Amino acid sequence: MRVAVNTTSPATQLIGMALLTSGLLAIAYANGLDAAFVFDDAYSIVDNTSIRQLVPLGNVLWARAEGGRTHDSRPLLNLSLAIDYALHGLWRPGFRLANLLIHLINAVLVADISRRLLRLAGGFSAATAGRLAVVISLLWALHPLHTNVITYVIQRAESLAAVFLLAACDAAIIALTSGRGTAAVAAVAFAVLGAFAKETTAVVLPLVGLFDWSFRDRLAWLPTAGASRRLRPWLYAGLCLNPAAIVGLAVLLGGRGGSAGLGTASTWRYLLTQTEAVWLYGGRLCWPRPLVLDYGDGLATDLAAVWPAATAAAAVLSLVVFGLGCCPRRVFPVAAALLLVGPSSSIVPVATQTMAEHRFYLASACLIAAAVAGAGSWASRLSAARLRPVAMVGVLLVATLLAAEVARIRERNRDFATAVTLWQQNLRDWPANDR
């Protein structure tokens, strides 16, 4: 008796993608597992006494802020570190294996969201959308830009927050397309939990709103449109709990100290600096060399110093705003990328690090998705005879890119071998850093 197995089902594709991604991540990061604790790892892991005991749990979750350390006012981040310490003490590979697991969860969520959006956008069959989503997730998960989120242990803050943000968005998409109340409840729950991981999850509300606006014509014609319409007010009201929780935590635990927030640096000069930063991040996405851990805390002096970058950033922003009015689905990935990078790269200064590559962690997924979806849309217009060789070239190109990404990650991990090797590389590649 034969049992038919649907190899193109979403669950099967996600499981296969997860297994392949985990294998490639193991190869890429094996030589960095025992790298040194560096930079803020000392304050938030080695010297962090609040993670030494899991019980009483309140001491872990409600540790007061002390000068804007990475784990300050972020209870779930501190809890994850405490769980690591309870399992293996200060064993460095253990912390990085946990980082890789968190990153793998994000890769699965990126694939699932990409598949849903590609199907909703139209033009792709379920099987094709699934395959493109796997390519998007693989290229994103293995991108060398993310070494500063995995090998630099304490930047788990970025990837842990991403888990809750992506899960909330995925659940919200399900709620708005199916009208399921349970999905809306899950979206709100993940959004609230995200507030306890990192403040940047505050973008969940505008991000869901951006999806709702960009795909409104598609959502309006779904059979479940009526149920979704009744669900919307409750979903958006629930998502408002995220910023409320962030504000509440800041009041209770002391916020970010002097490391971030209005008043910690010149808002105008910080904004000018970010017009250069976003282009730097985009450049690192296209060509991840060099990669730099610490760009220092320098600020642009005035508009004249950064006018080319500022002009280009203003032009892109204007085009996105215009596009959201006339062709929102086309500009959705870029608009989402700008939203995701916005909390730490707009007008709210992060005084101790005015530029940091880890801030492009999720935004990079949007731009990779846009590129892959564009290529897939072009290929879908080809005849069957012409599509086959194009598909073979595409597979070869993706395999080559993945091999290059793995090689670059292994090369980058060698910089993290010791604090000395890391700072020597940092000094060589970014000598303008006053620190």
Side-chain angles (χ1 to χ4, degrees), residues 48-79:
N48 183 2
T49 57
S50 69
I51 67 171
R52 295 296 185 264
Q53 290 182 315
L54 271 174
V55 181
L57 193 58
N59 293 341
V60 178
L61 294 176
W62 308 116
R64 293 283 303 175
E66 297 178 10
R69 299 167 301 178
T70 306
H71 68 280
D72 282 345
S73 298
R74 294 166 178 171
L76 287 184
L77 172 61
N78 209 43
L79 176 61

mmCIF file of all heavy atoms in Angstrom, residues 48-79:
data_model
loop_
_atom_site.group_PDB
_atom_site.id
_atom_site.type_symbol
_atom_site.label_atom_id
_atom_site.label_comp_id
_atom_site.label_asym_id
_atom_site.label_seq_id
_atom_site.Cartn_x
_atom_site.Cartn_y
_atom_site.Cartn_z
ATOM 1 N N ASN A 48 26.995 40.164 34.900
ATOM 2 C CA ASN A 48 25.569 40.320 35.184
ATOM 3 C C ASN A 48 25.155 39.349 36.293
ATOM 4 O O ASN A 48 24.863 38.175 36.044
ATOM 5 C CB ASN A 48 24.757 40.074 33.917
ATOM 6 C CG ASN A 48 23.268 40.287 34.102
ATOM 7 O OD1 ASN A 48 22.811 40.656 35.190
ATOM 8 N ND2 ASN A 48 22.504 40.058 33.054
ATOM 9 N N THR A 49 25.120 39.825 37.526
ATOM 10 C CA THR A 49 24.800 38.944 38.661
ATOM 11 C C THR A 49 23.330 38.521 38.673
ATOM 12 O O THR A 49 22.983 37.526 39.316
ATOM 13 C CB THR A 49 25.136 39.641 39.987
ATOM 14 O OG1 THR A 49 24.415 40.884 40.066
ATOM 15 C CG2 THR A 49 26.633 39.917 40.089
ATOM 16 N N SER A 50 22.460 39.240 37.968
ATOM 17 C CA SER A 50 21.037 38.916 38.002
ATOM 18 C C SER A 50 20.706 37.624 37.257
ATOM 19 O O SER A 50 19.601 37.099 37.403
ATOM 20 C CB SER A 50 20.209 40.069 37.425
ATOM 21 O OG SER A 50 20.419 40.194 36.024
ATOM 22 N N ILE A 51 21.653 37.096 36.470
ATOM 23 C CA ILE A 51 21.374 35.851 35.742
ATOM 24 C C ILE A 51 21.987 34.630 36.430
ATOM 25 O O ILE A 51 21.869 33.514 35.929
ATOM 26 C CB ILE A 51 21.897 35.916 34.286
ATOM 27 C CG1 ILE A 51 23.444 35.972 34.255
ATOM 28 C CG2 ILE A 51 21.297 37.102 33.544
ATOM 29 C CD1 ILE A 51 24.037 35.828 32.857
ATOM 30 N N ARG A 52 22.571 34.831 37.590
ATOM 31 C CA ARG A 52 23.262 33.719 38.253
ATOM 32 C C ARG A 52 22.301 32.697 38.857
ATOM 33 O O ARG A 52 22.667 31.548 39.058
ATOM 34 C CB ARG A 52 24.193 34.263 39.348
ATOM 35 C CG ARG A 52 25.346 35.118 38.831
ATOM 36 C CD ARG A 52 26.286 34.303 37.963
ATOM 37 N NE ARG A 52 27.461 35.059 37.561
ATOM 38 C CZ ARG A 52 27.581 35.702 36.401
ATOM 39 N NH1 ARG A 52 26.587 35.663 35.521
ATOM 40 N NH2 ARG A 52 28.674 36.362 36.109
ATOM 41 N N GLN A 53 21.068 33.120 39.154
ATOM 42 C CA GLN A 53 20.086 32.202 39.723
ATOM 43 C C GLN A 53 18.728 32.430 39.069
ATOM 44 O O GLN A 53 18.300 33.575 38.912
ATOM 45 C CB GLN A 53 19.957 32.404 41.240
ATOM 46 C CG GLN A 53 21.182 31.952 42.025
ATOM 47 C CD GLN A 53 20.966 32.128 43.526
ATOM 48 O OE1 GLN A 53 20.482 33.159 43.976
ATOM 49 N NE2 GLN A 53 21.326 31.108 44.292
ATOM 50 N N LEU A 54 18.070 31.344 38.696
ATOM 51 C CA LEU A 54 16.741 31.448 38.096
ATOM 52 C C LEU A 54 15.654 31.677 39.141
ATOM 53 O O LEU A 54 14.585 32.206 38.833
ATOM 54 C CB LEU A 54 16.424 30.176 37.315
ATOM 55 C CG LEU A 54 16.841 30.141 35.845
ATOM 56 C CD1 LEU A 54 16.599 28.768 35.254
ATOM 57 C CD2 LEU A 54 16.102 31.207 35.036
ATOM 58 N N VAL A 55 15.932 31.277 40.385
ATOM 59 C CA VAL A 55 14.959 31.421 41.460
ATOM 60 C C VAL A 55 15.560 32.296 42.549
ATOM 61 O O VAL A 55 16.699 32.062 42.979
ATOM 62 C CB VAL A 55 14.584 30.038 42.032
ATOM 63 C CG1 VAL A 55 13.552 30.184 43.151
ATOM 64 C CG2 VAL A 55 14.039 29.128 40.924
ATOM 65 N N PRO A 56 14.809 33.316 43.003
ATOM 66 C CA PRO A 56 13.457 33.713 42.587
ATOM 67 C C PRO A 56 13.471 34.383 41.212
ATOM 68 O O PRO A 56 14.352 35.181 40.905
ATOM 69 C CB PRO A 56 13.006 34.682 43.673
ATOM 70 C CG PRO A 56 14.270 35.257 44.212
ATOM 71 C CD PRO A 56 15.301 34.165 44.111
ATOM 72 N N LEU A 57 12.459 34.052 40.413
ATOM 73 C CA LEU A 57 12.393 34.518 39.027
ATOM 74 C C LEU A 57 12.269 36.035 38.941
ATOM 75 O O LEU A 57 12.731 36.640 37.975
ATOM 76 C CB LEU A 57 11.207 33.854 38.318
ATOM 77 C CG LEU A 57 11.140 33.971 36.798
ATOM 78 C CD1 LEU A 57 12.390 33.385 36.157
ATOM 79 C CD2 LEU A 57 9.895 33.276 36.260
ATOM 80 N N GLY A 58 11.663 36.647 39.947
ATOM 81 C CA GLY A 58 11.493 38.100 39.933
ATOM 82 C C GLY A 58 12.811 38.846 39.856
ATOM 83 O O GLY A 58 12.903 39.912 39.242
ATOM 84 N N ASN A 59 13.867 38.295 40.470
ATOM 85 C CA ASN A 59 15.176 38.943 40.419
ATOM 86 C C ASN A 59 15.748 38.967 39.010
ATOM 87 O O ASN A 59 16.550 39.829 38.660
ATOM 88 C CB ASN A 59 16.160 38.239 41.356
ATOM 89 C CG ASN A 59 15.789 38.403 42.816
ATOM 90 O OD1 ASN A 59 15.029 39.300 43.172
ATOM 91 N ND2 ASN A 59 16.308 37.518 43.666
ATOM 92 N N VAL A 60 15.349 37.976 38.195
ATOM 93 C CA VAL A 60 15.809 37.915 36.803
ATOM 94 C C VAL A 60 14.977 38.848 35.928
ATOM 95 O O VAL A 60 15.517 39.621 35.129
ATOM 96 C CB VAL A 60 15.701 36.472 36.269
ATOM 97 C CG1 VAL A 60 16.134 36.415 34.803
ATOM 98 C CG2 VAL A 60 16.554 35.532 37.105
ATOM 99 N N LEU A 61 13.662 38.796 36.100
ATOM 100 C CA LEU A 61 12.775 39.561 35.217
ATOM 101 C C LEU A 61 12.744 41.044 35.535
ATOM 102 O O LEU A 61 12.560 41.867 34.631
ATOM 103 C CB LEU A 61 11.351 38.989 35.317
ATOM 104 C CG LEU A 61 11.155 37.569 34.802
ATOM 105 C CD1 LEU A 61 9.729 37.108 35.051
ATOM 106 C CD2 LEU A 61 11.479 37.489 33.314
ATOM 107 N N TRP A 62 12.929 41.394 36.799
ATOM 108 C CA TRP A 62 12.750 42.799 37.182
ATOM 109 C C TRP A 62 14.041 43.427 37.690
ATOM 110 O O TRP A 62 14.038 44.251 38.593
ATOM 111 C CB TRP A 62 11.646 42.920 38.233
ATOM 112 C CG TRP A 62 10.388 42.242 37.808
ATOM 113 C CD1 TRP A 62 9.791 41.172 38.391
ATOM 114 C CD2 TRP A 62 9.596 42.549 36.649
ATOM 115 N NE1 TRP A 62 8.680 40.793 37.689
ATOM 116 C CE2 TRP A 62 8.519 41.615 36.622
ATOM 117 C CE3 TRP A 62 9.677 43.515 35.650
ATOM 118 C CZ2 TRP A 62 7.556 41.633 35.617
ATOM 119 C CZ3 TRP A 62 8.715 43.522 34.652
ATOM 120 C CH2 TRP A 62 7.671 42.600 34.644
ATOM 121 N N ALA A 63 15.162 43.040 37.085
ATOM 122 C CA ALA A 63 16.447 43.649 37.438
ATOM 123 C C ALA A 63 16.440 45.111 37.016
ATOM 124 O O ALA A 63 16.115 45.443 35.878
ATOM 125 C CB ALA A 63 17.590 42.899 36.752
ATOM 126 N N ARG A 64 16.791 45.991 37.930
ATOM 127 C CA ARG A 64 16.764 47.423 37.636
ATOM 128 C C ARG A 64 17.861 47.803 36.650
ATOM 129 O O ARG A 64 18.937 47.213 36.614
ATOM 130 C CB ARG A 64 16.974 48.240 38.919
ATOM 131 C CG ARG A 64 15.857 48.142 39.930
ATOM 132 C CD ARG A 64 14.660 48.963 39.542
ATOM 133 N NE ARG A 64 14.974 50.378 39.351
ATOM 134 C CZ ARG A 64 14.103 51.278 38.924
ATOM 135 N NH1 ARG A 64 12.865 50.910 38.636
ATOM 136 N NH2 ARG A 64 14.440 52.547 38.776
ATOM 137 N N ALA A 65 17.567 48.829 35.836
ATOM 138 C CA ALA A 65 18.543 49.318 34.854
ATOM 139 C C ALA A 65 19.691 50.007 35.561
ATOM 140 O O ALA A 65 19.502 50.698 36.556
ATOM 141 C CB ALA A 65 17.862 50.290 33.894
ATOM 142 N N GLU A 66 20.887 49.810 35.011
ATOM 143 C CA GLU A 66 22.089 50.444 35.567
ATOM 144 C C GLU A 66 22.939 50.994 34.441
ATOM 145 O O GLU A 66 23.897 50.374 33.995
ATOM 146 C CB GLU A 66 22.896 49.432 36.397
ATOM 147 C CG GLU A 66 22.163 48.906 37.624
ATOM 148 C CD GLU A 66 22.985 47.876 38.389
ATOM 149 O OE1 GLU A 66 24.183 47.729 38.054
ATOM 150 O OE2 GLU A 66 22.439 47.238 39.292
ATOM 151 N N GLY A 67 22.559 52.142 33.924
ATOM 152 C CA GLY A 67 23.405 52.825 32.952
ATOM 153 C C GLY A 67 23.220 52.418 31.510
ATOM 154 O O GLY A 67 24.098 52.671 30.684
ATOM 155 N N GLY A 68 22.124 51.769 31.177
ATOM 156 C CA GLY A 68 21.859 51.467 29.774
ATOM 157 C C GLY A 68 22.596 50.262 29.237
ATOM 158 O O GLY A 68 22.996 50.236 28.067
ATOM 159 N N ARG A 69 22.771 49.213 30.071
ATOM 160 C CA ARG A 69 23.348 47.967 29.565
ATOM 161 C C ARG A 69 22.359 47.313 28.602
ATOM 162 O O ARG A 69 21.157 47.573 28.664
ATOM 163 C CB ARG A 69 23.664 47.031 30.741
ATOM 164 C CG ARG A 69 24.667 47.598 31.731
ATOM 165 C CD ARG A 69 24.690 46.776 33.003
ATOM 166 N NE ARG A 69 23.373 46.731 33.640
ATOM 167 C CZ ARG A 69 23.108 46.037 34.744
ATOM 168 N NH1 ARG A 69 24.057 45.320 35.316
ATOM 169 N NH2 ARG A 69 21.887 46.051 35.265
ATOM 170 N N THR A 70 22.853 46.441 27.740
ATOM 171 C CA THR A 70 21.996 45.870 26.698
ATOM 172 C C THR A 70 20.791 45.146 27.271
ATOM 173 O O THR A 70 19.698 45.177 26.701
ATOM 174 C CB THR A 70 22.817 44.915 25.812
ATOM 175 O OG1 THR A 70 23.956 45.601 25.307
ATOM 176 C CG2 THR A 70 21.982 44.412 24.638
ATOM 177 N N HIS A 71 20.928 44.484 28.405
ATOM 178 C CA HIS A 71 19.821 43.710 28.972
ATOM 179 C C HIS A 71 18.910 44.538 29.866
ATOM 180 O O HIS A 71 17.876 44.039 30.320
ATOM 181 C CB HIS A 71 20.360 42.518 29.764
ATOM 182 C CG HIS A 71 21.090 42.919 31.016
ATOM 183 N ND1 HIS A 71 22.398 43.363 31.010
ATOM 184 C CD2 HIS A 71 20.695 42.960 32.323
ATOM 185 C CE1 HIS A 71 22.786 43.635 32.244
ATOM 186 N NE2 HIS A 71 21.770 43.399 33.060
ATOM 187 N N ASP A 72 19.249 45.796 30.127
ATOM 188 C CA ASP A 72 18.438 46.622 31.014
ATOM 189 C C ASP A 72 17.033 46.841 30.463
ATOM 190 O O ASP A 72 16.858 47.130 29.270
ATOM 191 C CB ASP A 72 19.112 47.985 31.242
ATOM 192 C CG ASP A 72 20.259 47.908 32.231
ATOM 193 O OD1 ASP A 72 20.354 46.894 32.944
ATOM 194 O OD2 ASP A 72 21.062 48.863 32.291
ATOM 195 N N SER A 73 16.032 46.707 31.320
ATOM 196 C CA SER A 73 14.613 46.906 30.974
ATOM 197 C C SER A 73 14.143 45.953 29.873
ATOM 198 O O SER A 73 13.200 46.266 29.147
ATOM 199 C CB SER A 73 14.359 48.360 30.549
ATOM 200 O OG SER A 73 14.639 49.242 31.618
ATOM 201 N N ARG A 74 14.804 44.806 29.763
ATOM 202 C CA ARG A 74 14.420 43.795 28.775
ATOM 203 C C ARG A 74 14.344 42.435 29.472
ATOM 204 O O ARG A 74 15.252 41.597 29.370
ATOM 205 C CB ARG A 74 15.429 43.760 27.623
ATOM 206 C CG ARG A 74 15.427 45.053 26.802
ATOM 207 C CD ARG A 74 16.617 45.173 25.899
ATOM 208 N NE ARG A 74 16.543 46.403 25.103
ATOM 209 C CZ ARG A 74 17.541 46.869 24.345
ATOM 210 N NH1 ARG A 74 18.692 46.208 24.280
ATOM 211 N NH2 ARG A 74 17.391 47.984 23.661
ATOM 212 N N PRO A 75 13.258 42.206 30.209
ATOM 213 C CA PRO A 75 13.166 41.010 31.066
ATOM 214 C C PRO A 75 13.332 39.684 30.337
ATOM 215 O O PRO A 75 13.981 38.764 30.854
ATOM 216 C CB PRO A 75 11.759 41.125 31.669
ATOM 217 C CG PRO A 75 11.436 42.578 31.617
ATOM 218 C CD PRO A 75 12.093 43.090 30.378
ATOM 219 N N LEU A 76 12.741 39.538 29.140
ATOM 220 C CA LEU A 76 12.843 38.254 28.446
ATOM 221 C C LEU A 76 14.262 37.994 27.942
ATOM 222 O O LEU A 76 14.705 36.838 27.885
ATOM 223 C CB LEU A 76 11.848 38.189 27.290
ATOM 224 C CG LEU A 76 10.377 38.031 27.699
ATOM 225 C CD1 LEU A 76 9.495 37.885 26.473
ATOM 226 C CD2 LEU A 76 10.190 36.837 28.628
ATOM 227 N N LEU A 77 14.964 39.043 27.547
ATOM 228 C CA LEU A 77 16.367 38.882 27.170
ATOM 229 C C LEU A 77 17.175 38.404 28.364
ATOM 230 O O LEU A 77 17.961 37.454 28.263
ATOM 231 C CB LEU A 77 16.930 40.209 26.642
ATOM 232 C CG LEU A 77 18.440 40.246 26.389
ATOM 233 C CD1 LEU A 77 18.841 39.222 25.334
ATOM 234 C CD2 LEU A 77 18.892 41.639 25.978
ATOM 235 N N ASN A 78 16.953 39.035 29.511
ATOM 236 C CA ASN A 78 17.679 38.645 30.714
ATOM 237 C C ASN A 78 17.321 37.223 31.134
ATOM 238 O O ASN A 78 18.185 36.445 31.563
ATOM 239 C CB ASN A 78 17.359 39.626 31.852
ATOM 240 C CG ASN A 78 18.513 39.748 32.840
ATOM 241 O OD1 ASN A 78 19.680 39.840 32.439
ATOM 242 N ND2 ASN A 78 18.193 39.752 34.121
ATOM 243 N N LEU A 79 16.047 36.852 30.974
ATOM 244 C CA LEU A 79 15.620 35.489 31.311
ATOM 245 C C LEU A 79 16.314 34.471 30.416
ATOM 246 O O LEU A 79 16.747 33.409 30.884
ATOM 247 C CB LEU A 79 14.106 35.378 31.164
ATOM 248 C CG LEU A 79 13.513 33.978 31.386
ATOM 249 C CD1 LEU A 79 13.798 33.478 32.792
ATOM 250 C CD2 LEU A 79 12.013 33.985 31.103
#
